Amino acid sequence: MPDVPPIKPPRIDGRRLRSERTKQLIIEAFLSLLRETPQMPTAVQIAERAGYSVRSIFERFPDLNALRIAATDYSLAQALALAPPRGADGDRETRLRAQVTTRAHTCERGIALWRVLLQFADQDETGQLRQRVARGRETTVSRMELMYRAELSTLPEDERRQLLIALEALTDFESWARMREQHGLSFDEACEVWIHAIDRLLPPTPVPVAASAAA
Amino acid sequence: MTDAVQPGDGGAPALGEARIDGRRLRSERTRRLIIEAYIALVRETGRMPTAAQIAERAGYSVRSIFERFPDLTALRVAVTDYSIAEARANGALRDLDADRLTRIRSQVTQRGGGCERWLPLWRVLSSDLSGAPDLQQRIGMIRQLIVMRMEMMFRPELSSVSDAVRKKIMLALEALLDFESWARMRELYGLSFEEACAVWVKAIDRLLPQTPA
């Protein structure tokens, strides 16, 4: 039998792992500060919260804009992981509730970052923040297309597009924030507003072929 | 809205007072020109102008600005008041007694026109409200005026449902007809004015309850 070389376990680059972990802690510190005070935190505040020096931040991010971009990517990935499409095959009410609840949680968690993104998007010469804003909106619209496919499929293309634009406006971050911050609605009350409105906006759910044939 | 003395206050003016009024009138005019310069700059650039830019555009010194406004936040408040007054003067309610579709179209056209005209200023005025309670109060007032207008335009439909349902519909309408909703249709989706109006007309028609017979 030929000699089989022993399988070497892949070498783990410990320094790289530690650096990645530091990056992540800096991003999490940035996000937690944003949730507490809805203003862009300073590098000193972020460093203090993360337990590192200001220099550590700028060793990993060339500037605060790069940190904002990294935090946005982190949050988008987290939002997708925490909110897989659920109930897409359910009845109309189940789908409405599932989509609204998921979207509401995303808004609740992400409003502070979203506001910072919009505030700085115009100043970002790399255009990367604008790209993330657009991607966030596309994800929201795609989710609604998936969840309300049955109803949307009954509309001609131009009407479907019009309706999706209206749904996107209705379920915007700031729409959620107004209900919660200005009108003082609870999470559940605000969800009910969206459910009621989406239900009115959507066309009737088509009857499945088998059911209509049986009737 | 302004600090101008109202006619009839305190009886007939003495000669000295008349002279003071002339100076006051000039000062009011300067104030207005500073406010108009601010608005023009925001419309052009979409950004909050600096004191130097405003002064240059208005044709005054920076000192003239701060003689009339203690700081730029006070100027923002004055700009907001001026804009509210202008929007109210130009936004008379129309077609209040018309049929459903006419009222929806009238409301949407008026609101679309308002968004088109005021969006850059709205963005600048409402961008950073921290430490500016007067401005927060004005922004709240603008939102209330928009909602009140919709309540008047859609009174027949809204009167046919319970308070709870009416509140839900109004919150949804407020979100739908927001400045940024309009901005996205125009800037992001590239819709024309008419196409954007059509999106709102269709959505409002679906959101509103049936018109009572």
Side-chain angles (χ1 to χ4, degrees), chain A residues 39 122 137 155 159 161-162 165-166 168-170 172 175 178 182-183 185 192-193 196-197 200-201 203, chain B residues 130 143 165 167-169 171-172 174-176 178 181 184-185 188-189 191 198-199 202-203 206-209:
Chain A
Q39 278 186 339
D122 284 341
R137 291 196 192 287
L155 298 173
E159 272 193 54
R161 182 166 182 246
Q162 285 183 334
I165 290 173
E168 198 251 335
L170 177 72
D172 181 62
S175 158
R178 267 198 302 279
Q182 279 172 34
H183 296 288
L185 269 57
E192 286 304 319
V193 170
H196 180 264
R200 294 194 77 93
L201 285 169
Chain B
S130 54
R143 290 198 190 284
V165 172
K167 191 179 173 196
K168 284 180 186 171
I169 294 172
L171 287 168
E174 191 190 355
L176 184 71
D178 183 63
S181 157
R184 279 197 298 282
M185 291 196 289
L188 187 70
Y189 299 113
L191 303 190
V199 170
K202 185 78 99 183
R206 285 179 188 268
L207 271 175
L208 285 178

Side-chain angles (χ1 to χ4, degrees), chain B residues 122-167:
Chain B
W122 172 259
R123 281 177 169 164
V124 164
L125 294 175
S126 60
S127 61
D128 180 13
L129 300 176
S130 54
D134 287 350
L135 209 49
Q136 280 176 21
Q137 184 253 337
R138 261 72 166 190
I139 294 296
M141 198 208 303
I142 294 171
R143 290 198 190 284
Q144 276 175 14
L145 288 170
I146 293 167
V147 168
M148 279 165 57
R149 188 186 178 95
M150 289 193 286
E151 282 175 341
M152 281 193 265
M153 290 301 283
F154 306 132
R155 185 176 290 160
E157 291 78 16
L158 294 168
S159 67
S160 69
V161 291
S162 67
D163 281 351
V165 172
R166 184 160 53 242
K167 191 179 173 196

Side-chain angles (χ1 to χ4, degrees), chain A residues 93 96-101 104 170-171 175-176 179-180 185-200, chain B residues 164-172 207:
Chain A
E93 199 190 329
L96 271 168
R97 289 200 176 277
Q99 192 268 324
V100 163
T101 309
L170 177 72
T171 57
S175 158
W176 181 259
M179 291 196 289
R180 300 279 281 139
L185 269 57
S186 69
F187 183 92
D188 291 340
E189 286 168 338
C191 282
E192 286 304 319
V193 170
W194 275 0
I195 288 170
H196 180 264
I198 297 172
D199 194 29
R200 294 194 77 93
Chain B
V165 172
R166 184 160 53 242
K167 191 179 173 196
K168 284 180 186 171
I169 294 172
M170 288 313 302
L171 287 168
L207 271 175

